[in-house]
Amino acid sequence: MSAASERREAMERAKHLLQTEGVIAAVEALVAVCRDPKAPAPAKSTAGTSILRAGGFFDQKNAEPDKDLSQMSMQELRDFTNRIETEKQAALKALDGGNQDDVFG
């Protein structure tokens, strides 16, 4: 086996490890920071933001309403508020594993 093919095989193994065990370890570490009562607030904020970003919660198409809030009817405002609250609760539940009401507390 040539040196080039050995490097290529090593890179493929490393990439596979990063995309499987590495991702799980990274998420577990971020969640652990969020749950650690002794973790400083900036660390919790950064970890929480990283988790939410990775989970797609900051995706622009989900974050922004279809039209300006000032142009919405009361029902549209209620629907938008309910959607945001549902997404927030889902994010908190995902971060917490469903065990606590507040992952940062």
Side-chain angles (χ1 to χ4, degrees):
M1 181 178 279
S2 72
S5 72
E6 285 180 16
R7 278 194 300 274
R8 193 170 30 257
E9 185 178 314
M11 290 299 292
E12 287 174 13
R13 285 194 319 262
K15 184 176 179 181
H16 176 75
L17 184 62
L18 285 170
Q19 291 177 339
T20 55
E21 293 180 42
V23 169
I24 293 168
V27 171
E28 287 173 347
L30 290 169
V31 171
V33 170
C34 290
R35 290 186 175 154
D36 183 354
K38 295 181 181 179
K44 287 184 177 190
S45 176
T46 300
T49 300
S50 296
I51 291 168
L52 294 174
R53 188 178 315 284
F57 291 97
F58 293 155
D59 189 356
Q60 283 297 331
K61 68 179 182 201
N62 293 329
E64 296 297 323
D66 292 335
K67 59 183 173 180
D68 189 69
L69 297 176
S70 67
Q71 301 300 315
M72 288 186 182
S73 69
M74 274 305 251
Q75 187 57 50
E76 288 172 320
L77 287 169
R78 281 188 200 102
D79 292 345
F80 179 70
T81 303
N82 289 338
R83 189 184 96 222
I84 296 300
E85 183 62 29
T86 300
E87 290 174 4
K88 180 185 114 183
Q89 292 303 321
L92 290 173
K93 186 175 182 180
L95 287 172
D96 185 40
N99 295 326
Q100 299 174 359
D101 291 332
D102 182 7
V103 297
F104 298 109

